[in-house]
Amino acid sequence: MTAHDPHIGAMTAAIDMPLLSVGGLTKTYGSGRGCANVSFDLWPGEVLGIVGESGSGKSTLLGCLAGHIRPDAGRVVYDLDGHARDTVSMAEPDRRRLSRTEWTFVHQNPRDGLRMGVSAGGNVGERLMAVGARNYGAIRETATDWLERVEIAADRIDDRPRAFSGGMQQRLQIARNLVTGPRLVFMDEPTGGLDVSVQARLLDLLRGLVRDMGLSVIIVTHDLAVVRLLADRLMVMKDGRVIEEGLTDQVLDDPQAAYTQLLVSSVLQV
Amino acid sequence: MYVATKGGERAIDAAHDWLAEERRGDPAVPELTIAQIREQMRLAVNRVMAEGSLYDPDLAALAIKQARGDLIEAIFLVRAYRTTLPRFGSSHPVETCDMAITRRISATFKDVPGGQVLGPTFDYTHRLLDFKLMADGEAPTAARKPADPEPAPHILALLDRDGLMEPLAHDGATPRDLTREPLELPADRPLRLQALTRGDEGFLLSLAYSTQRGYGRTHAFVGELRIGTCAVEMEIPELGFAVEIGEIELTECETVNQFTGSKTEPPQFTRGYGLVMGQSERKAISMSLVERALRWEELGEENTGAPAQDTEFVLYHSDNIQATGFLEHIKLPHYVDFQSELELIRKLRRAVAPERLEAAE
Amino acid sequence: MTEHAYNFAYLDEATKQMIRRAILKGLAIPGYQVPFASREMPMPYGWGTGGVQVTAACLTPSDTLKVIDQGADDATNAVSIRKFFERTARVATTTATAEASVIQTRHRIPEERLSEGQILVYQVPIPEPLRFLEPRESETRRMHALEEYGLMHVKLYEDIARHGEIATSYAYPVKVEERYVMDPSPIPKFDNPKLSGMAAIQLFGAGREQRIYALPPYTEVVSLDFEDHPFEPMKADHDCDLCGAGESYLDELITDDAGGRMFVCSDTDFCAARRAGGHRGRLVPEGDAA
């Protein structure tokens, strides 16, 4: 296993090289759904929001980017220590290693991203152990530290996530994902299914972590309030295609496409 | 003074003798003959042949006798015998459309070429104990009619001609052989069918029933159920052509399943298939329902998480010889592991504060 | 049916070849579970069919076979399997560990150090060490292929978090040559250290689950643990009451209904040999020859 310190990696990467460079990414299903010919670059430390209604292809796109879905065509080139690696054509073991070390995925439903039968400490520790941590005391210390960073009391370390509220479960999932210091985070509707007040607290926490850790993030959501708060840049999807993109404020304040205007106006009415 | 328990060998021998005596029962009652079991317990013989994967009514009858009527034990005897037999080759696929039919029914068409034949079935009997059989088992002679010369084509083939059935995929490849290779996943359809046809009747019945109650519902109609004998032909290399080496009784069930189409397939009828040695109607129907439920992935259907849709679950748990062996092995001594657990529990309890132990007691 | 109707050691030669190929593959990739087309044997699955098939594939007419269950030669299932090979292979059998060329075992490794040229065959009920963490075979095979063993340590972590120590006392998982995580079969963890660097060939057969795996001589086998919670073999804190051995694995026997108990070696041959050599335990009166 190649141990990789993400911070060193970030420093040595050439500054004129995007962290992720996506070209012509296409995945279609028989029914016509999917995503078609998506291209974009993601720069280190950048947060990209992908918005659209359900069925717009944004989840398919995220799945293809994260290596969960095999695309029909296109490339997803990742900057691994200054080496451009196409993760689509990469061998499965390499891709899985990448998703244990460099990447991470925050699911909408914490049940999909947590082991519900394993204690909070075990959940956070799993990624550490997966990359070779073998000191129980150190693992526990790191887990405790991370629980506190996501505002979960340290004395809940041996409780199972079942006993946690929805917001706590989601924060635990975030701790579990960030504990190994990844560089790129995929998020699929991370605030979906949470109460508004809980959402606000989570968003606040996420914003702080992204800033402190210098994370690059691709976040998929239908909630424009989420991207307004988190995303530097925005892509709007409809029927599997990117119909508009630009800086977040620019897209939200001065939408060009008719569909985007509709999206923005409907959120304002809420 | 402790004396180590010896005499495992003597205990085993004595147990075997006792078992033999119990099998025979009261010596004043005449002993069962193999022929009696073969002729009068024919459905039990059929089940033992089907799940034992060996078509030999005499050996199946012997196994039932030796197993004191415990059918899973009898199946086990047949399987253990079967595995020692050398394999000379494989037969041609049997042509079930040329079956000499003793029973043939369709739930989808009232009348079909070749006709419906009720045959020897319990279906419309009233389930009343027939006390006459206690005294005298002689049966009346059933009426006979000459064999019907009209061919009886498969009913699904008729639907097939109209293009309403899913086309049968046929890549001509030789299927993997479950008795010669380990079961590995993903299992394709031929492998699944092999596992199901020797699978436990009770397990398949329950799974099939669960699909009817909504756990992986497949909307099955019995398109055709046919029972009869088929010729088995085998290519003899020295001869250069196929010769008939015997005939076997088979039960075949084809279901027609409603299917409204998916993202990969147009609306059409799909099929579930069951083929079992001997007259094993319940098993053949169960098999065809479970088989159809397992096809969700290739048909692009939704996985509802139903047990009958879970190939790994179904195939890994359908074999009653594997199941009964592993279940019953927990009767074997586990002193060593239990001793380990004892030590561990004692150690863990020593680590717990004494007051907590007292509180628990 | 007489035993003469069957081939040497019961299985036909083609089947034995198939099993030998699986064994050789297993030896070439220590700790990797090789799928093999397990046959129905005349004893039930779960009663040693995997071990019996491996033994049958290894036996030659000049071999000497020993069969133990729970360390004992006279346990009923050991007797039954030994008889099976006496009948079908007519090989010599022994209870003396050093005299055996092939030893089939269930749940124990003999106390006496094995030597080169010997083969130890384990009966394995569940070959997959990850099975109770992940029930799907398709998924666990992928985890092995990709060396994704984080989950295995999560289980150990959870044990320590809850009990203060790793609460696995038998079938304790090991890592082989820094690659495959392996289930050593349900031997007590007391026996785990003997797995590593053993001079004899170790073969593991799981009949029902259709898997064979192997450890060639002198393979490095490490019991999984944490740096600050190292693996610890465990046995009853007694000496054998018959032969006085202090370092052998002990069975605990209940001698009366008043809490009386005694501890004796689970390895019957080891115990008998010590007593023959004049060693005496607590409950053997002085001057009483064994």
Side-chain angles (χ1 to χ4, degrees), chain A residues 7 43 52 60 66 86-87 133 148 185 194 214 232 249:
Chain A
H7 303 294
W43 294 86
T60 303
D86 182 4
T87 65
E148 281 166 355
V185 185
L194 297 177
D232 305 312
D249 292 344

Side-chain angles (χ1 to χ4, degrees), chain C residues 219-278:
Chain C
T219 301
E220 184 195 56
V221 179
V222 177
S223 301
L224 298 182
D225 61 2
F226 289 100
E227 294 156 6
D228 46 347
H229 284 267
F231 169 81
E232 232 182 303
M234 188 176 66
K235 69 181 274 287
D237 191 16
H238 290 265
D239 294 340
C240 173
D241 285 329
L242 296 182
C243 77
E247 298 303 320
S248 70
Y249 192 75
L250 301 173
D251 280 345
E252 180 173 340
L253 307 172
I254 297 172
T255 50
D256 54 43
D257 58 3
R261 56 196 67 210
M262 65 184 288
F263 293 85
V264 297
C265 293
S266 106
D267 184 336
T268 49
D269 175 60
F270 176 78
C271 195
R274 276 181 56 87
R275 277 179 282 152

Side-chain angles (χ1 to χ4, degrees), chain A residues 96 119 134 136-137 160, chain C residues 148 153 157-158 162 227-228:
Chain A
R96 301 266 284 220
S119 71
R134 291 292 178 268
Y136 174 82
R160 295 183 179 182
Chain C
E148 290 189 345
H153 265 89
Y157 169 95
E158 292 286 285
R162 199 162 317 142
E227 294 156 6
D228 46 347

